[in-house]
Amino acid sequence: MAETYHRPVAFDRHPVVEQKYIVPTPSIEEMYLRVKKLVRLRTPGGIVFAHPRFGKTYGVRYVMRVLREDYPKAVLLSFGCQKKKSKSEDAFFSLLLEAVGHPGALNGSIPKKRTRLNERIMELVSRSGYNWFIMFADEAQRLDVIEYEWLRDVHDELERHGIRMITLLVGQPQLLNQKSAFRLSRETQIVSRFMIDELQFHGLLSADDLATCLAGYDEACFPAKSDWPYTRFFLPGAYSTGFRLVDQAAVLWDAFEDAHDNAGFAYNLEIPMQYFARSVETALGESSEHDDYGFQITPSTWALAIKESNFVAAQEELRMVMSDDLAAQA
């Protein structure tokens, strides 16, 4: 038993405890395949949208990591769009310079920042051996027309040098409304560069979706390339006698359904990734104190973990947002 419990790192240093890990979901896999298609076709841009907490930012990190395995030298950049009362060209180009790792991001005039940005990207792309790079813009619903025009300038300048900029706008459903507004106002130069493709990013929609994610805990190891999957780290005794989280998918889905139905939500269950992950983390942490050979996580443990994740409160907030969206479309 002592050998079974000899964990390779301290409990509080594990990425699940620190919430610094990523497991795949069906929507993340779909996003990854869509981005690879954009690269293959050299499509200049697309939008990925979902309500808050569905795991879009989490998905971008995962997709970037896997793309780096597929294209080890490719240039993959990301930046978070900032919400400000007024739009500043100087601040916008400083943000992009930080994204490309330029040491002089905060210094110099706007023309100099523009030049530095283009030169830095051309330098990175030249080293990569490709003639393209990918830019992820997170919370992109915050971008205004003028910021798209500044981004368009970068896109066009790089294209004149034979470099294809592929931009993924990641954000909330307002992105679709913005696309429609740009079409109505004939801002086709924005739509044709940044919004050609569309992908709705879903939460977890079935027990099978949960199984895909739970299998990630059974397969991902820490330290990397060790024989310590996440599940074994928290439940080494149970793991040694065959316990696997993937086998809990139906039980966990039923627990989420019960919480959803008991709260009186009329729409179909769709679990945002954040609340799924918090539930699993809580259940693993609580169960680790009771681990033993033959141990199983009980339905009541899952129910408590879901409650502590604030899933129901988040669903109530989502219901209000969806009602507002429907009212705005009416």
Side-chain angles (χ1 to χ4, degrees), residues 29 111 156 194 196 215 227 229 243 259 293-294 307:
E29 179 67 15
D156 292 354
F194 305 116
I196 294 176
D227 59 352
F243 177 85
Y293 299 132
K307 181 180 179 180

Side-chain angles (χ1 to χ4, degrees), residues 1-7 228 235-238 288 290-293:
M1 191 73 167
E3 185 63 28
T4 299
Y5 277 89
H6 188 64
R7 294 184 174 98
W228 280 90
L235 302 169
S288 66
H290 309 289
D291 178 47
D292 204 341
Y293 299 132

